[in-house]
């Protein structure tokens, strides 16, 4: 495989073979690891996402964050003045009551019920994707929304890729505008990417 499209198709198909039970079990282990991070314990505002399909399931994680007293923020695809699209970040108090179907049917914050955050406010960001590598490179769904949002977050906001072990590649193609994550967490390990101190464990 050489192109992002080829990697995207390969890892999407691979992930699609997981059963719902496998997704639940792997997701529980993955997010248990996220919640054990010191950065999670210290964070006041956590940027998460509403999972769809066979993505790492964030349902229990989002509720857990709220129970832990965290402020949870979720992304919303919005139109810009220039006619493009970007991710806005909104706080939610209830991930069911405060969301509505949005881009591609994915649940997004209802702007009438939620508060828009500035990108510098989250302390920890949990990011979805199709494939990741141990250098922090990520392949998403091709729209580039996170590549535009992530650079706006504070440098000390820990940016974590949530992935199953089967989504980890040896090396992914990366371009200059692609944003590298600080850490990847799977159901099996925590991967500290090169710009962070630490080792996989």
């Amino acid at each position: 495989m050489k192109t992002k499209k080829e990697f995207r198709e390969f890892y999407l198909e691979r992930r699609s073979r997981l059963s719902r039970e496998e997704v639940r079990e792997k997701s529980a282990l993955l997010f248990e690891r996220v919640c054990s991070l010191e950065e999670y314990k210290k964070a006041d505002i956590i940027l998460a996402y509403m999972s769809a399909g066979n993505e790492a399931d964030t349902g229990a994680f989002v509720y857990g964050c709220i129970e832990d007293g965290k402020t949870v923020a979720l992304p919303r695809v919005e139109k810009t003045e220039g006619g493009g699209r970007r991710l806005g970040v909104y706080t939610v108090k209830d991930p069911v009551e405060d969301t509505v179907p949005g881009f591609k049917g994915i649940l997004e914050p209802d702007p009438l019920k939620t508060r828009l955050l500035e990108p510098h406010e989250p302390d920890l960001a949990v990011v979805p994707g199709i494939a990741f590598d141990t250098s922090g490179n990520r392949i998403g769904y091709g729209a580039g929304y996170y590549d535009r949002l992530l650079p706006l977050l504070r440098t000390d906001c820990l940016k974590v890729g949530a992935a199953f072990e089967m989504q980890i590649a040896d090396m992914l193609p990366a371009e200059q505008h692609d944003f590298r994550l600080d850490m990847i967490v799977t159901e099996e390990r925590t991967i500290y990417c090169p710009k962070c101190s630490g080792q996989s464990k």
Side-chain angles (χ1 to χ4, degrees):
M1 289 183 291
K2 294 182 179 180
T3 69
K4 286 186 177 181
K5 180 181 179 182
E6 289 173 315
F7 275 97
R8 187 175 290 117
E9 290 174 352
F10 174 82
Y11 282 98
L12 265 178
E13 195 279 330
R14 194 178 199 186
R15 195 179 67 186
S16 72
R17 295 198 297 264
L18 289 172
S19 68
R20 290 309 302 163
E21 184 59 30
E22 287 175 314
V23 169
R24 281 192 293 270
E25 290 176 356
K26 292 176 183 293
S27 299
L29 292 170
L30 187 167
F31 287 111
E32 185 178 334
R33 283 182 170 276
V34 173
C35 293
S36 71
L37 296 171
E38 284 302 314
E39 290 88 351
Y40 172 85
K41 296 173 184 176
K42 295 176 181 177
D44 293 320
I45 301 176
I46 294 178
L47 171 58
Y49 66 93
M50 295 299 280
S51 52
N54 271 14
E55 287 182 329
D57 191 337
T58 55
F61 172 67
V62 169
Y63 277 108
C65 290
I66 294 170
E67 290 175 2
D68 287 342
K70 313 292 186 184
T71 296
V72 175
L74 297 173
R76 174 183 170 83
V77 178
E78 300 179 316
K79 292 182 179 179
T80 63
E81 292 182 3
R85 295 190 179 196
R86 66 175 182 189
L87 289 181
V89 177
Y90 293 77
T91 62
V92 297
K93 294 181 180 179
D94 186 310
V96 174
E97 295 295 327
D98 295 345
T99 59
V100 293
F103 182 69
K104 293 189 176 181
I106 299 170
L107 291 176
E108 296 180 337
D110 182 344
L112 299 178
K113 297 181 179 179
T114 56
R115 179 173 71 90
L116 178 66
L117 289 183
E118 295 296 330
H120 68 266
E121 293 188 70
D123 302 305
L124 185 150
V126 178
V127 180
I130 295 172
F132 303 82
D133 67 20
T134 56
S135 294
N137 295 306
R138 165 187 171 273
I139 289 181
Y141 294 88
Y145 295 140
Y146 277 96
D147 285 321
R148 293 191 289 275
L149 172 65
L150 293 172
L152 303 178
L153 304 180
R154 296 196 320 268
T155 55
D156 64 338
C157 170
L158 185 71
K159 300 148 190 88
V160 180
F164 302 133
E165 190 65 30
M166 64 167 52
Q167 294 175 256
I168 307 300
D170 291 334
M171 184 183 299
L172 294 174
E175 300 169 34
Q176 189 172 3
H177 66 271
D178 291 334
F179 191 89
R180 288 170 62 184
L181 301 171
D182 301 312
M183 179 184 291
I184 313 296
V185 179
T186 78
E187 74 276 19
E188 295 182 10
R189 56 179 168 156
T190 300
I191 302 168
Y192 295 82
C193 302
K195 59 183 176 180
C196 273
S197 59
Q199 300 176 342
S200 295
K201 60 182 181 180

